Amino acid sequence: MKTFPGRNQGEDVHVLDHLQYRIENGKFISIIGPSGCGKTTLLRIIAGLEKASTGKVLLDGHEMVQGSEEVGMIFQEYALFPWRTTLQNIEMGLEIRGVEKEKRRSTAMEYIRSFDLNGFEKRYPRELSGGMKQRVAIARTLIMNPRVVLMDEPFGSLDSQTRNAMQEFLLGVWLKRGDTIIFVTHNVDEAVFLSDEIVILSKRPAKIIQRKEVTLTRPRDRTSEECNKIWREILKLLEEEMKSEGKDDYRRSILQST
Amino acid sequence: MKKESYLLPLVLIFLWQGLSSLQWIPSYKLSSPVEIVLGLKDLLIIGMPPGNLLHHHVLYSLYRVGLGYGVAAMLAIPLGLLMGWSPRIRKMVNPLIEVIRPIPPLAWIPIAIVWFGIGIKSAAFIIFLGAFFPILLNTIAGVLSINPILVEAARTLHAKEKQIFQKVLFPGSIPSIFVGMRIGIGIGWMTLVAAEFTGVKEGYGVGYMIMTARDIQRPDQILAGMLVIGLIGLLINLGLRTFESRVIRWRG
């Protein structure tokens, strides 16, 4: 559960409500829900950037420690260090970990090659396109080999063509590596194209409305009838959620006092 | 530089020389450009007072500035990083700074002499005061300008507090630190010469040299000394800018 102090004293905003969810290793999970429902907060809690008001995050049955090496996060705004080149950005985590220069350079170069960033290793972020920046950010996270990769609307600020290309790129990388990915998006089409499972959240305070498994074989065709069917179902759920009065829940959520 | 930038100064110098040669400008008040150049030559060869050559004065002044400025930067940058990082430290230290900062560095000269005596220490202390605050305030502003998401990104890469300072806060505030360093060296240099005028002197220093020239009525050497001060200030600024544009290439 997560509550934030509200604007007035003694009023807390209740953001996440008794979310309980188990994720299998190696799965690609998308989280989708109305904007402002707390998707990002959930990711930030898992990443250890925020503490849950109550409740905890377990990995293999152990409570996760903040700053542990188990989780990596990718942000919508790329969050590249503007004073570091592509290579230096990708190396950052290994540098923090204390890996010696030769070793981290050669590891980073492998990522540069396989992420199609050849020739850009000495460029600064401002010289890269949006899609490239996000590839650098993904490489920077994956080089740490985290157990769980969190992605917070990673393709949200890309144009639709780049976005599609990046989705296919990410799938390719994931199929090869088999990371566990938790992918937050508000784009239903993207969730259907990518995920093994889609978790649909309600408005604030966010609860799980439904878990939708997507068993279609990959590569998927975005325009196929099967994809469209799932897409329509999820869209309908979300629309109902937006329409639902839910006044009691809502009032309770914003007026709940400590 | 373009032609236009040379034109006006050249015209003025020629006009000045012309008026001086016609004796419309009295030479004991304002020496002519030619006299100033000759005065500069005397400063270089004979020295003022005789024996104390110009480049010795310059080196002594630079040494004082370097010392005060170096200490100022070494203290102001880490303190600025801390104050930018922690609102609590900022709140604690700010009132103190707001009280001390408005006191002009030169107003410290009497007490500096009481504390450190006449000599390099009190001169360096005055320069320290002049340079410290601009560097501090700009470092704080630099840290505050860093997008917090970069700190979070470093955290998700498992950076510890110390590494966040070294690898995020410091490099991220460098552009702003440079602004502070340039303002700081400007103020430091101005302060030094004034300090050398007013008593923080020990036989050498550009300010001291100018005051000696005044004592024996040599306006040509006073003006030559002023010219030297201006040129050195210009060179320092140019040097810092070159260094700066190399270090922060990433800004484009």
Side-chain angles (χ1 to χ4, degrees):
Chain A
M1 201 195 310
K2 173 78 185 178
T3 51
F4 283 118
R7 218 160 273 170
N8 302 317
Q9 260 193 335
E11 265 180 32
D12 282 353
V13 181
H14 191 170
V15 184
L16 300 172
D17 190 16
H18 298 96
L19 278 181
Q20 193 168 20
Y21 191 68
R22 179 184 271 290
I23 289 169
E24 265 175 71
N25 261 341
K27 289 271 179 191
F28 197 125
I29 312 287
S30 286
I31 299 177
I32 211 164
S35 56
C37 78
K39 303 183 291 270
T40 298
T41 308
L42 178 61
L43 273 202
R44 292 172 58 85
I45 289 172
I46 302 174
L49 293 173
E50 266 171 53
K51 277 207 159 67
S53 311
T54 58
K56 50 194 161 187
V57 184
L58 303 178
L59 189 75
D60 293 342
H62 300 291
E63 192 166 351
M64 293 214 318
V65 193
Q66 183 176 17
S68 75
E69 305 241 332
E70 321 261 31
V71 186
M73 177 135 171
I74 289 154
F75 303 83
Q76 179 181 353
E77 308 90 324
Y78 321 119
L80 297 180
F81 303 109
W83 53 86
R84 288 180 158 246
T85 61
T86 299
L87 183 66
Q88 289 168 334
N89 262 288
I90 297 176
E91 276 184 342
M92 175 80 159
L94 297 180
E95 199 180 304
I96 286 168
R97 200 183 266 172
V99 176
E100 58 184 280
K101 193 170 179 175
E102 302 271 301
K103 179 88 178 74
R104 61 175 196 249
R105 188 129 296 182
S106 65
T107 315
M109 283 310 291
E110 279 168 35
Y111 277 84
I112 282 180
R113 274 189 292 277
S114 60
F115 277 50
D116 206 12
L117 291 162
N118 274 320
F120 289 91
E121 55 269 27
K122 295 232 169 86
R123 297 297 181 88
Y124 290 100
R126 69 176 165 87
E127 302 169 300
L128 305 178
S129 68
M132 285 175 122
K133 282 186 210 169
Q134 201 50 288
R135 289 209 296 276
V136 175
I138 294 171
R140 183 178 69 177
T141 299
L142 292 186
I143 200 171
M144 303 293 280
N145 288 316
R147 298 277 311 277
V148 181
V149 181
L150 309 170
M151 306 184 96
D152 186 12
E153 301 197 30
F155 308 143
S157 38
L158 301 175
D159 63 82
S160 65
Q161 266 160 321
T162 314
R163 187 180 184 124
N164 288 354
M166 283 300 292
Q167 290 165 0
E168 276 167 39
F169 169 78
L170 177 65
L171 265 188
V173 171
W174 175 70
L175 286 170
K176 250 186 267 167
R177 296 173 49 105
D179 303 288
T180 307
I181 296 183
I182 305 179
F183 189 102
V184 160
T185 179
H186 56 244
N187 186 326
V188 180
D189 163 76
E190 181 169 75
V192 175
F193 181 72
L194 292 170
S195 332
D196 292 322
E197 193 169 320
I198 301 172
V199 181
I200 301 137
L201 295 184
S202 68
K203 285 188 297 202
R204 237 168 38 197
K207 281 181 269 205
I208 295 173
I209 306 181
Q210 202 175 80
R211 300 168 57 164
K212 178 96 197 142
E213 251 184 283
V214 186
T215 48
L216 304 174
T217 49
R218 297 187 176 93
R220 292 173 186 162
D221 176 1
R222 296 164 202 281
T223 53
S224 70
E225 193 43 50
E226 296 96 320
C227 277
N228 272 331
K229 199 174 140 242
I230 302 170
W231 185 77
R232 270 196 301 271
E233 270 175 54
I234 296 175
L235 220 57
K236 211 174 134 218
L237 274 173
L238 285 172
E239 264 164 32
E240 277 166 17
E241 174 60 22
M242 289 311 284
K243 261 186 271 170
S244 76
E245 294 284 315
K247 267 185 185 154
D248 283 332
D249 275 2
Y250 187 64
R251 194 174 299 142
R252 190 174 44 136
S253 73
I254 58 170
L255 292 181
Q256 196 184 46
S257 50
T258 39
Chain B
M1 260 193 273
K2 294 190 196 92
K3 253 189 232 160
E4 289 90 336
S5 5
Y6 291 112
L7 195 63
L8 186 60
L10 279 178
V11 168
L12 284 178
I13 288 172
F14 273 108
L15 197 66
W16 176 6
Q17 184 61 47
L19 291 175
S20 296
S21 301
L22 293 169
Q23 305 208 332
W24 289 11
I25 299 174
S27 151
Y28 67 91
K29 284 251 162 93
L30 178 62
S31 318
S32 73
V34 172
E35 284 169 330
I36 293 173
V37 173
L38 292 175
L40 191 62
K41 198 191 85 189
D42 284 353
L43 287 176
L44 278 165
I45 299 169
I46 304 166
M48 174 59 60
N52 296 8
L53 302 181
L54 176 64
H55 65 275
H56 288 135
H57 290 296
V58 170
L59 286 177
Y60 261 79
S61 290
L62 284 177
Y63 177 47
R64 287 174 188 142
V65 171
L67 191 67
Y69 182 68
V71 175
M74 260 161 32
L75 293 179
I77 293 171
L79 181 64
L81 292 176
L82 274 173
M83 286 178 70
W85 177 232
S86 152
R88 258 181 85 198
I89 298 180
R90 197 157 62 239
K91 272 188 203 131
M92 258 169 56
V93 185
N94 244 343
L96 201 63
I97 285 171
E98 289 310 314
V99 170
I100 300 176
R101 195 168 65 99
I103 304 173
L106 297 182
W108 288 80
I109 290 179
I111 197 73
I113 293 174
V114 171
W115 289 346
F116 303 109
I118 289 178
I120 173 109
K121 275 194 216 149
S122 36
F125 177 67
I126 303 299
I127 290 143
F128 166 82
L129 286 169
F132 180 78
F133 293 105
I135 302 179
L136 178 76
L137 296 182
N138 279 285
T139 306
I140 296 173
V143 177
L144 293 178
S145 74
I146 295 172
N147 189 345
I149 203 174
L150 295 179
V151 174
E152 299 199 328
R155 279 201 201 293
T156 66
L157 294 169
H158 322 304
K160 304 266 177 299
E161 223 62 11
K162 189 183 149 209
Q163 290 164 320
I164 287 179
F165 265 90
Q166 284 173 344
K167 295 184 195 295
V168 183
L169 300 185
F170 180 60
S173 29
I174 278 187
S176 193
I177 291 177
F178 264 112
V179 174
M181 300 255 287
R182 267 195 285 120
I183 300 174
I185 193 76
I187 295 180
W189 184 239
M190 283 188 245
T191 312
L192 167 87
V193 176
E196 286 173 345
F197 282 166
T198 41
V200 188
K201 56 191 177 189
E202 39 168 4
Y204 282 107
V206 184
Y208 171 71
M209 177 190 83
I210 291 175
M211 286 314 268
T212 316
R214 197 215 56 166
D215 289 343
I216 59 161
Q217 306 282 326
R218 287 286 301 265
D220 58 328
Q221 296 196 337
I222 295 176
L223 289 162
M226 288 165 64
L227 188 67
V228 168
I229 290 171
L231 283 176
I232 291 173
L234 186 73
L235 284 178
I236 292 175
N237 202 16
L238 219 70
L240 261 181
R241 267 187 193 281
T242 316
F243 183 48
E244 181 178 348
S245 62
R246 255 189 226 168
V247 172
I248 51 177
R249 241 175 344 132
W250 53 270
R251 270 200 137 186

